[in-house]
Amino acid sequence: MSIARHGSSSAHAAFAGPHVAIVMDGNGRWATAHGLPRPAGHEAGVRTVREIVERAVEEGVGTLTLYAFSSDNWKRPSAEVSALMRLFRRALVNEAKRCLRNGVRLTVLGRRDRLSSSLRETIDQVEAVTVAGTRMHLRIAMDYSARDAMVRASAALRGESVSREAFTDLLARVDHDLVPARDVDLVIRTGGEQRLSDFLLWECAYAELLFLDKMWPEFVGDDLAEALADFRGRNRRFGLAPEQVAS
Ligand code: IPE
Ligand code: IPE
Ligand code: MG
């Protein structure tokens, strides 16, 4: 797989290969269907993350953004939120070790100020440890809201008008993303719902969308490979006439 890096339109380094963003939905329903408590579904979801990150590297994905916790997810029962936060800390440490071995850079996208100080420390550590990774950029979206990010970025502009590229970089900055990612190429949502749930609304302007009925704990590497094959067969036009794209 090529590990070449190229300058993005916003003059930041970007990882080669498509940007795939996944709404990892369905953990709770999967657990309920198996007679398990919802947190057991989230545990199973972490195992899927492990498999999918490895497969994404093999499949040549450049950036993989995983939606782990939305800002609206704070409204869930506090026991579920606490279980998720504990799980995130453990999973980040384990994932960082694997990322290091596989040349993957790991960063966390979203607000940090409402996370516990121990989770914030863990995030700082895993980002530092994996900083030299060049094979793939793995972004975990946590306490993430696309609309909140856009509101904060707009406030930071103080009335100044900027280019799309500059606004993209500003969005990354307000969400602590160290490596501004390119636009999303493919969104995959498991769990059967067909919506974005406040995920990467700006970056998904021309994203291809793929909605799957499988619950996240049931999603396997071959499903990712199939999704990528589907994506490669799509005809992306970015506003142009079909004849312009074919030439
Ligand atoms: C996605 O699974 C994980 C998080 C939102 C943290 P859900 O927990 O939303 O699972 P369902 O949709 O209730 O099945
Ligand atoms: C979106 O899933 C957030 C994550 C997967 C982390 P939700 O389960 O929170 O989304 P809705 O409520 O069904 O839209
Ligand atoms: Mg859900």
Side-chain angles (χ1 to χ4, degrees):
M1 188 199 114
S2 163
I3 54 166
R5 298 176 74 163
H6 58 82
S8 72
S9 56
S10 57
H12 283 84
F15 291 76
H19 179 180
V20 177
I22 307 184
V23 182
M24 308 183 289
D25 197 26
N27 293 347
R29 279 166 288 161
W30 178 86
T32 305
H34 289 78
L36 299 166
R38 288 178 60 85
H42 299 311
E43 297 262 359
V46 169
R47 290 194 287 275
T48 302
V49 167
R50 207 175 300 153
E51 177 178 347
I52 294 310
V53 169
E54 293 214 340
R55 187 62 180 261
V57 174
E58 288 165 18
E59 295 288 332
V61 170
T63 302
L64 179 66
T65 305
L66 301 178
Y67 203 5
F69 191 84
S70 77
S71 295
D72 286 325
N73 289 150
W74 289 115
K75 298 172 197 157
R76 292 189 177 196
S78 64
E80 183 176 347
V81 171
S82 315
L84 276 167
M85 293 298 148
R86 279 195 301 275
L87 186 60
F88 289 152
R89 210 167 145 222
R90 197 155 34 90
L92 277 172
V93 172
N94 288 333
E95 205 46 54
K97 287 182 201 147
R98 304 170 80 88
C99 286
L100 195 56
R101 278 202 300 275
N102 293 328
V104 173
R105 182 167 186 178
L106 171 55
T107 64
V108 174
L109 180 69
R111 278 179 70 163
R112 301 261 168 110
D113 57 305
R114 298 188 290 197
L115 304 177
S116 69
S117 56
S118 55
L119 183 51
R120 280 204 299 271
E121 265 169 40
T122 303
I123 291 171
D124 287 343
Q125 283 162 9
V126 301
E127 288 184 337
V129 162
T130 63
V131 72
T134 54
R135 280 186 84 192
M136 189 180 80
H137 182 197
L138 171 62
R139 308 195 307 163
I140 310 288
M142 211 180 273
D143 195 358
Y144 177 82
S145 157
R147 287 186 300 184
D148 287 355
M150 286 191 269
V151 168
R152 276 179 282 128
S154 311
L157 285 176
R158 296 170 186 276
E160 191 192 334
S161 66
V162 287
S163 65
R164 288 175 177 179
E165 289 77 15
F167 192 73
T168 303
D169 289 351
L170 193 52
L171 275 178
R173 272 213 297 286
V174 300
D175 262 342
H176 303 274
D177 196 21
L178 306 171
V179 193
R182 297 197 320 245
D183 281 356
V184 174
D185 294 301
L186 171 66
V187 175
I188 301 170
R189 181 172 185 142
T190 57
E193 313 297 353
Q194 303 195 358
R195 54 181 174 252
L196 289 175
S197 301
D198 204 9
F199 189 42
L200 302 171
L201 301 182
W202 170 269
E203 296 85 343
C204 282
Y206 277 100
E208 298 296 322
L209 308 178
L210 184 64
F211 298 104
L212 302 173
D213 287 332
K214 270 194 179 182
M215 300 294 139
W216 178 247
E218 299 166 332
F219 189 78
V220 294
D222 285 349
D223 293 320
L224 178 69
E226 223 174 277
L228 287 164
D230 178 320
F231 164 73
R232 283 186 220 107
R234 303 244 185 140
N235 192 355
R236 305 182 79 191
R237 290 191 285 277
F238 301 96
L240 302 184
E243 311 78 59
Q244 291 176 289
V245 179
S247 63

